[in-house]
Amino acid sequence: MLAPRLLLRPFSMMRAFLATEAAGGIVLIAAAAAAMLVANSPLAAEYFDTLHTMLGGLSLAHWINDGLMALFFLVVGLEIKREVLDGQLARWSDRLLPGVAACAGVVVPALIYVAINRGDPAGLRGWAIPAATDIAFALGVLALLGSRVPSSLKIFLTAVAIIDDLIAVLIIALFYTAELNLAALAGAGGGLLVLALFNRRGVNALWPYLLVGAVVWAFTLQSGIHATLAGVAVAMTIPMIRTPGRPDAEHAPLIRLEHGLHPWIAFAIVPIFGFANAGVALGGFSPAELLAPVPLGVALGLLIGKQVGIFSAVWLLVRMGWAARPRHASWVQVYGVSLLCGIGFTMSLFIGGLALGDGSHQNDAAKLGILLGSIASAVAGFAVLRVGATPRRA
């Protein structure tokens, strides 16, 4: 009876995760389109002025990018912890294929961006912009294909994107951290020690973690480290119950928190972030500027770098016998999913603001590159998967 029980997990937490992410991706696409329409309409002035409205010492855009997105990063951290401890990435053999693919999918786009921007020291700061994959957006495109895409590929894409997120978190911490305020950093560290003690003592109520987690976020905001990283750090302290071979423990604090937050993240916070950050006034750009190093490097990094890095890594690992191709998936379908990994919307916009400065002309140029590269990757990936579709389920 072990085999049927082993099949329960992908159809419990993973199925719910994929369904929510896919639907949330469609909402995100609509939010991004609405932002572009508003930013190039008579309402543009009100749109940009509203984002700069000051509330409690921070602008509305700042609250969205540093406050609401901390909750997004909290869920990212919960997903990483769950998958590594008790999910699709629990074994080293499960991590190898998506792990190597994700690393290649970070390195190759960054190299393309650097090659194009090598003569611009300011533009070079954006090297990490095309490095990440947007899970929601990519799964939203996959959802349009339904059962034509094997579920093994959906899980592979999710694993690659989750590892991408982990790499992006490390990049933000290492390369986009301002001058440190050691006192505030010590306060954040003290809060994390309290949370670790809660975990150690078996505290299963969520409110103590959330209360102290808010304090950790406040200290991190003042520390010089980007405040959203507090979300990932807090997530690592939330208790998780391992349930190998069985459905996820619904009573575990981590699972309860992830289930509770995930719909809000997918259907509210990420679309709000997309609406607040995707709006670019196209009137400020000439056609020639679209081929400037920053937008060109971002667009080609996403469209070319992601597919080359990920597909090449998968092909080499399978060819060398170190990993197996995703079950029931053809090479055409693997290539199609590699293209979809070039959708770098949410995290790319986030890193662009850190690297090039919110509101700067270069960051607006990077946003255009993100939109062009992500849309091209989505259209190309959908077309390839449509042509190579199969009605079989993995």
Side-chain angles (χ1 to χ4, degrees):
M1 294 299 292
L2 182 59
R5 293 180 72 186
L6 286 172
L7 294 176
L8 289 175
R9 185 180 305 282
F11 291 97
S12 54
M13 190 70 183
M14 183 56 68
R15 171 173 281 182
F17 174 84
L18 292 174
T20 304
E21 286 287 356
I26 295 172
V27 176
L28 175 59
I29 294 169
M36 287 299 295
L37 289 173
V38 172
N40 292 278
S41 75
L43 297 174
E46 288 82 356
Y47 170 77
F48 291 110
D49 288 345
T50 300
L51 290 175
H52 290 96
T53 301
M54 299 303 294
L55 299 169
L58 298 176
S59 69
L60 179 60
H62 203 163
W63 277 113
I64 292 171
N65 293 342
D66 284 22
L68 290 182
M69 287 301 283
L71 294 174
F72 167 80
F73 276 82
L74 173 61
V75 171
V76 167
L78 295 173
E79 291 167 355
I80 291 171
K81 182 174 181 177
R82 170 174 53 79
E83 292 300 327
V84 169
L85 290 183
D86 200 31
Q88 301 299 322
L89 302 175
R91 300 177 300 177
W92 282 107
S93 57
D94 297 327
R95 300 169 193 164
L96 181 62
L97 186 65
V100 174
C103 290
V106 168
V107 171
V108 177
L111 290 176
I112 290 176
Y113 182 93
V114 169
I116 294 174
N117 286 269
R118 62 188 181 278
D120 179 9
L124 277 175
R125 278 187 54 81
W127 63 270
I129 295 173
T133 296
D134 191 296
I135 304 178
F137 207 145
L139 286 176
V141 175
L142 273 185
L144 300 177
L145 293 160
S147 61
R148 293 173 179 272
V149 178
S151 60
S152 61
L153 274 182
K154 298 174 185 177
I155 293 173
F156 170 75
L157 172 60
T158 302
V160 168
I162 287 174
I163 296 171
D164 255 354
D165 283 344
L166 176 59
I167 296 172
V169 168
L170 294 175
I171 288 172
I172 292 169
L174 294 175
F175 297 100
Y176 299 117
T177 293
E179 184 177 346
L180 294 179
N181 179 330
L182 296 181
L185 192 61
L192 291 173
L193 287 176
V194 171
L195 292 176
L197 182 62
F198 286 166
N199 189 318
R200 182 87 174 186
R201 293 294 178 88
V203 176
N204 287 322
L206 284 173
W207 69 265
Y209 293 95
L210 298 178
L211 181 61
V212 177
V215 175
V216 171
W217 174 84
F219 274 119
T220 306
L221 182 66
Q222 303 299 323
S223 72
I225 296 176
H226 201 273
T228 53
L229 297 181
V232 178
V234 170
M236 296 299 110
T237 70
I238 307 298
M240 170 75 189
I241 299 174
R242 291 186 177 90
T243 56
R246 295 186 289 110
D248 303 272
E250 296 290 337
H251 61 282
L254 185 146
I255 300 300
R256 287 189 284 119
L257 183 58
E258 187 178 358
H259 276 182
L261 285 178
H262 205 273
W264 290 98
I265 300 299
F267 298 116
I269 290 175
V270 170
I272 288 172
F273 171 83
F275 183 77
N277 287 272
V280 180
L282 298 178
F285 292 90
S286 66
E289 285 183 293
L290 295 178
L291 297 178
V294 168
L296 186 62
V298 171
L300 293 183
L302 290 171
L303 178 61
I304 305 299
K306 278 291 186 181
Q307 60 168 296
V308 170
I310 291 174
F311 185 77
S312 297
V314 173
W315 185 85
L316 282 173
L317 287 175
V318 173
R319 185 68 179 266
M320 296 172 71
W322 292 355
R325 196 169 66 202
R327 194 169 174 232
H328 294 326
S330 67
W331 280 117
V332 171
Q333 291 174 317
V334 172
Y335 176 61
V337 166
S338 300
L339 278 165
L340 289 186
C341 287
I343 302 173
F345 192 75
T346 303
M347 196 68 80
S348 292
L349 287 173
F350 190 83
I351 293 175
L354 295 178
L356 303 175
D358 283 318
S360 69
H361 188 72
Q362 274 198 324
N363 189 38
D364 283 345
K367 289 180 182 180
L368 289 178
I370 292 167
L371 290 170
L372 292 173
S374 296
I375 292 170
S377 297
V379 171
F382 178 86
V384 170
L385 288 169
R386 188 74 176 84
V387 170
T390 173
R392 295 180 63 181
R393 288 182 181 268

